[in-house]
Amino acid sequence: MPKLLFIFTSAGTSLLGRKIGWYLPEASHSYAILASHFEIDFASPQGPNPPIDPLSVETFKDEDSLKFLSDPVIQEKLVNAKRIADVKAEDYDGIFYVGGHGPILDVASSPENAMLASKIFQAGKITAAICHGPGALVGAVDKDGKSIFKGRKFTGLSNREEEIFGTVLDVPFSLEDRLISLGGLFECAEPHQCRVVVSDNLYTGQNPASGKLLAQEILKTLQN
């Protein structure tokens, strides 16, 4: 069975002191679809017990999300999450960056993460991210040393959505603006609507509503 690495943030506090972390449905909805097709490991910058965004727990009570929080296998994966610095790219067939505001506070600035993502992408393996997750890929480069976003279509949480959430000042940069500055071709749906973009082996989902479709697009590649 192919192996996939879910990468979570270790950041539990925003720039304004708000409690943040990884966003529940952006992990649970995709995991529910992918778990029967991949052997999935978890990792974060600091390793075990990556913090979850409490607002996402309060907001999402769907079956997949409740199972993600209660399933002992999943909880064991979180408790024993690997440190990104200890992960070897050759051990995995792809990576999946779970969103939440945290990734652009810590994963984005991790040199170990940039190296891992670059190796995965350059090997033609699945490089997927949802919501703020694409922001964790700012340091990833292709075989020519150029940003993996340069000349490629992508999506992620839009500026308009960040404004609606009232979290513009909670994060160090605008995901949309930063990735466009790296040469990315940004696409998005209306706020809170599902949008997934596939460009070469870069797979991106716009927001929490996009997790299931993003997973389905990943499965298409696996089955082809």
Side-chain angles (χ1 to χ4, degrees):
M1 184 178 289
K3 295 186 69 174
L4 186 65
L5 183 69
F6 270 41
I7 296 184
F8 298 80
T9 180
S10 292
T13 307
S14 76
L15 295 180
L16 294 182
R18 191 194 309 261
K19 290 184 178 180
I20 58 169
W22 54 273
Y23 212 71
L24 177 57
E26 296 169 14
S28 64
H29 293 173
S30 294
Y31 185 93
I33 292 173
L34 297 171
S36 59
H37 301 274
F38 288 89
E39 179 182 341
I40 300 177
D41 289 337
F42 292 175
S44 75
Q46 295 179 24
N49 299 307
I52 187 171
D53 187 313
L55 179 60
S56 70
V57 177
E58 295 170 10
T59 305
F60 292 89
K61 304 294 184 181
D62 59 276
E63 181 179 354
D64 290 338
S65 294
L66 292 176
K67 181 179 179 181
F68 198 90
L69 293 175
S70 62
D71 188 305
V73 173
I74 295 173
Q75 292 307 304
E76 183 177 359
K77 289 178 185 287
L78 288 167
V79 170
N80 296 300
K82 304 173 184 289
R83 292 174 62 250
I84 291 176
D86 297 330
V87 172
K88 295 180 179 179
E90 56 266 29
D91 291 340
Y92 294 93
D93 299 285
I95 47 178
F96 184 101
Y97 289 86
V98 177
H101 288 90
I104 58 178
L105 284 160
D106 62 350
V107 188
S109 58
S110 164
E112 294 86 2
N113 174 69
M115 183 178 298
L116 173 66
S118 297
K119 288 181 177 179
I120 292 284
F121 184 83
Q122 290 172 22
K125 298 176 180 179
I126 295 163
T127 306
I130 185 168
C131 201
H132 285 91
L137 293 166
V138 292
V141 296
D142 62 19
K143 291 180 179 179
D144 296 322
K146 298 177 181 178
S147 170
I148 64 172
F149 291 98
K150 187 173 179 59
R152 293 185 176 88
K153 298 177 181 179
F154 77 97
T155 190
L157 196 77
S158 66
N159 285 345
R160 188 176 172 195
E161 286 173 307
E162 197 81 85
E163 291 167 359
I164 290 171
F165 287 130
T167 49
V168 173
L169 298 180
D170 282 286
V171 291
F173 58 82
S174 153
L175 180 142
E176 178 181 334
D177 293 350
R178 181 68 175 276
L179 300 186
I180 288 175
S181 76
L182 293 175
L185 308 173
F186 184 67
E187 298 183 356
C188 70
E190 289 298 308
H192 315 307
Q193 300 302 306
C194 175
R195 178 66 171 171
V196 169
V197 176
V198 180
S199 190
D200 295 329
N201 55 314
L202 178 63
Y203 296 71
T204 50
Q206 181 175 334
N207 49 33
S210 307
K212 291 183 179 181
L213 181 58
L214 180 58
Q216 290 165 358
E217 289 296 329
I218 291 172
L219 283 188
K220 287 182 183 178
T221 296
L222 183 65
Q223 295 164 351
N224 288 337

